Amino acid sequence: MFQTLPIASFIWNPSQRGACLEIMEFKRSQLSSMSQCFKFENKWVQNGKALVSGTFIYACQSPRQYPAGKKQGVYPQNVDLPPVLPKKKKKPYPIPFKEIQRAARKDKKLAERGLEKPLQPPKNGILVPDLIPVAYDVLDAWKVLIKGLAQLLHVIPVYGCSECSEVHVAHTGHHIQDCKGPSSSKRHGLHSWVKGSINDVLIPIESYHLYDPFGRRIKHDTRFEYDRIPAVVELCIQAGVDIPEYPSRRRTKPIRMMGKKVIDRGGYVDEPKPWRSVDPSSSSIVDLDTCGACGRFPAPPLEDVPSIAQETMNAHEIVRSGVTKLMRKYTVKACGYCSEVHVGPWGHNAKLCGEFKHQWRDGKHGWQDATVAEVFPPNYVWHVQDPKGPPLRGALTRFYGKAPAVVEVCMQAGAQVPSRYKPMMRLDIIVPESDEASLVA
């Protein structure tokens, strides 16, 4: 039996307040021979005379169909960057708050009935075997990324503003008046450029290293007893990477929880002494930190710069994709007000937050689930088509694109840009002259 679709048309009489609605039904078999859009011509009539005729266009019969051979994952031509979140407001939750409440109510009902909370690896303290090779790949790529950037910064100039967090990759700083520093009003918004370092390109996000993430929580008075290492390295350690200087407890029996309370964690164990007694210069952990990286690696030969840039670009993509895979399973917390990150099931209790309304929280962090951009921040910078050309100007900002600082440095050194970054870099847009900008639609 054919399904009928009601199609509505109306005739309006200007002399009366109202409209006459007429319902017509067509069979689906009849619609197949019609065009995608239905058009109905109606005439406005007054005293038997036609005054105006109009055409009413209705919704399409079926959704727009794309060609069968179109490839998946095709990126649009231009993409805007994610909006900058205001500092005087809490960050949005990565997971909808209703889902968080629903999961909390479910755990509460199980606890009231005396049932344990079902936990799967790694939520129960057991490693995920499939993610151990991913963690090793991320750590190896992290070392290559630091080494490659330290070598490229000897060739590619990078500038940072001494008053704000702005970074620019070119032979001279740009002239865009968007500085928000303390003395920016005296400089009319212009940046105060100084020579940048690797920490301006690869933002260091550190986290406390925990021997047992499910053990005792870090208190404010005991915070100096724990080492601070890059959050990416701590995530790899908890995912299965063994580093002698940063040992980690490997459980063979899962922990047990009832609601929010841990009822069996296998007991507390004495944490080993920190690695501070070991000489850092003779240890392999020095390659995991960006501090002093430019001094450890000399400038490469000019003929090797493109290959180093491509290796660095590939390492950056491996780290980004690997961190994304690990964070789908392993819990990472981030403060909803500042940039503090903690790798583990619960955040620490150190009172170090000084952002919006920290007095109301007694300096405690507002922990929530972290995103990949908070653990491995992209640090977007303006894309420069000609690094040796004239500096960028504020009147043409709508024609400029942006890219992560690592991608911009590697691209200027001769690496191929991945397809996912091309829309936001706006490589297909020709930047007009300043006197031509007002003539562009």
Side-chain angles (χ1 to χ4, degrees), residues 1 23 30 41 60 70 90 129-130 136 149 188 238 240-241 251 274 296 312-313 339 362 381 388 402 415 421 430 440:
M1 180 177 293
I23 304 297
Q30 297 175 351
E41 294 184 358
C60 295
K70 187 176 181 179
K90 195 175 187 294
D130 295 339
Y136 274 97
L149 283 177
H188 303 285
Q238 294 190 17
V241 175
R251 282 183 165 83
R296 296 196 305 266
T312 307
M313 181 78 78
S339 60
D362 194 21
V381 298
K388 297 183 179 180
K402 282 193 173 184
Y421 300 112
I430 299 177
V440 178

Side-chain angles (χ1 to χ4, degrees), residues 303-326:
E303 59 271 12
D304 296 340
V305 170
S307 61
I308 295 176
Q310 191 61 48
E311 292 178 1
T312 307
M313 181 78 78
N314 298 338
H316 175 268
E317 293 303 298
I318 293 175
V319 172
R320 185 192 61 81
S321 61
V323 169
T324 304
K325 294 178 182 178
L326 295 177

Side-chain angles (χ1 to χ4, degrees), residues 329-350:
K329 292 291 185 178
Y330 291 87
T331 304
V332 181
K333 297 295 183 179
C335 180
Y337 301 92
C338 67
S339 60
E340 181 70 9
V341 170
H342 184 78
V343 183
W346 309 286
H348 59 75
N349 289 335

Side-chain angles (χ1 to χ4, degrees), residues 361-432:
R361 294 173 276 110
D362 194 21
K364 294 182 179 180
H365 297 283
W367 297 114
Q368 62 187 38
D369 291 331
T371 60
V372 179
E374 291 173 322
V375 179
F376 189 60
N379 189 20
Y380 291 103
V381 298
W382 292 106
H383 168 59
V384 182
Q385 297 182 358
D386 186 8
K388 297 183 179 180
L392 304 184
R393 288 164 291 181
L396 303 176
T397 52
R398 66 187 180 119
F399 301 100
Y400 301 142
K402 282 193 173 184
V406 177
V407 176
E408 182 69 16
V409 170
C410 296
M411 189 215 66
Q412 294 189 16
Q416 296 293 329
V417 180
S419 301
R420 62 187 306 268
Y421 300 112
K422 292 182 180 179
M424 65 179 63
M425 296 176 70
R426 301 184 179 181
L427 301 176
D428 56 341
I429 293 181
I430 299 177
V431 181

Side-chain angles (χ1 to χ4, degrees), residues 107-154:
D107 296 341
K108 185 178 180 180
K109 290 181 180 179
L110 292 176
E112 292 175 351
R113 296 168 56 186
L115 301 178
E116 295 183 10
K117 181 180 179 180
L119 298 174
Q120 299 294 331
K123 305 296 182 181
N124 58 1
I126 306 297
L127 296 178
V128 181
D130 295 339
L131 293 180
I132 295 178
V134 177
Y136 274 97
D137 293 340
V138 171
L139 192 65
D140 294 339
W142 177 258
K143 297 178 182 178
V144 175
L145 178 61
I146 294 177
K147 179 181 178 180
L149 283 177
Q151 291 178 313
L152 293 178
L153 290 184
H154 291 287

Side-chain angles (χ1 to χ4, degrees), residues 35-57:
S35 59
Q36 278 191 329
C37 295
F38 298 99
K39 299 180 181 179
F40 298 92
E41 294 184 358
N42 298 279
K43 297 181 179 180
W44 295 347
V45 181
Q46 184 178 8
N47 298 330
K49 296 181 181 180
L51 297 179
V52 183
S53 61
T55 302
F56 301 88
I57 302 178

